[in-house]
Amino acid sequence: MSKVKLELTSKQYEKLVESVFLGTWMVNSTKMELDEDFEEVRELVLSKYKEGGLEEKVVHQEEMGIHDLDVDYESKLLDTYVEEYDEFSFWDKLVEKLSEKEMVQLFGAPEGKMTDEMMEARLEIEERIGTKLEETGITRLSFEDE
């Protein structure tokens, strides 16, 4: 297997550490068992922390033979990037699911590709729902008894 070597500035290395941490967190956050391929890359990147000048942000847990982010640094990354992503994803997914529900009411269960009419209706529904949610949040969202 061929190997790739990278030359990074300390700042670039720090961004690589952050990217690898966030990517690995995303992949593993919903799993019962860690994805070992991602963990292997994460360990490789974090193991160069002294060369990258990140002694204050990465810790070596000798007893477990792994490197990890300092708890405060990890929390900062999660607060900065994951919270914002979760907030955006929640609203985006809510609009998508509510639109799908309305589309089924209008056109029935989806079968095959959407027609131009269906695509246009979907966009209009998403726009209307998105605007309403931006104006009211979930305070006016209700489920009627049928």
Side-chain angles (χ1 to χ4, degrees):
M1 177 189 293
S2 65
K3 294 196 175 210
V4 175
K5 294 185 186 249
L6 298 174
E7 287 190 32
L8 305 170
T9 65
S10 293
K11 186 174 181 171
Q12 289 171 325
Y13 174 71
E14 185 173 359
K15 286 298 170 193
L16 178 62
V17 165
E18 291 176 4
S19 298
V20 168
F21 168 76
L22 292 166
T24 304
W25 181 89
M26 190 208 64
V27 167
N28 288 326
S29 66
T30 59
K31 296 184 178 182
M32 295 301 290
E33 294 193 24
L34 300 177
D35 184 306
E36 291 303 324
D37 290 336
F38 277 88
E39 289 299 316
E40 181 182 339
V41 171
R42 180 178 181 268
E43 179 60 27
L44 177 64
V45 170
L46 292 180
S47 72
K48 306 295 183 191
Y49 75 104
K50 286 184 182 177
E51 294 170 46
L54 293 182
E55 292 89 348
E56 299 293 317
K57 296 181 177 181
V58 177
V59 294
H60 182 214
Q61 298 179 11
E62 292 183 41
E63 62 281 353
M64 296 179 70
I66 61 170
H67 296 82
D68 216 343
L69 296 187
D70 172 76
V71 175
D72 292 335
Y73 185 44
E74 182 176 311
S75 293
K76 177 184 169 247
L77 292 176
L78 292 173
D79 290 346
T80 301
Y81 298 106
V82 176
E83 292 296 326
E84 183 179 325
Y85 173 80
D86 283 348
E87 181 72 14
F88 176 81
S89 295
F90 169 77
W91 293 107
D92 196 45
K93 195 56 109 174
L94 182 58
V95 168
E96 179 184 324
K97 294 298 183 183
L98 291 172
S99 298
E100 286 174 6
K101 179 180 178 272
E102 199 166 318
M103 287 292 290
V104 169
Q105 291 171 340
L106 287 173
F107 296 101
E111 294 178 16
K113 293 181 84 174
M114 289 176 58
T115 65
D116 288 344
E117 175 191 10
M118 293 168 79
M119 293 275 260
E120 190 174 316
R122 172 77 183 240
L123 292 173
E124 289 173 9
I125 292 167
E126 286 179 353
E127 181 67 29
R128 180 174 41 79
I129 291 172
T131 300
K132 189 69 170 172
L133 287 171
E134 283 177 16
E135 291 170 359
T136 64
I138 58 172
T139 58
R140 299 208 35 216
L141 184 63
S142 65
F143 300 95
E144 301 162 8
D145 291 325
E146 295 180 32

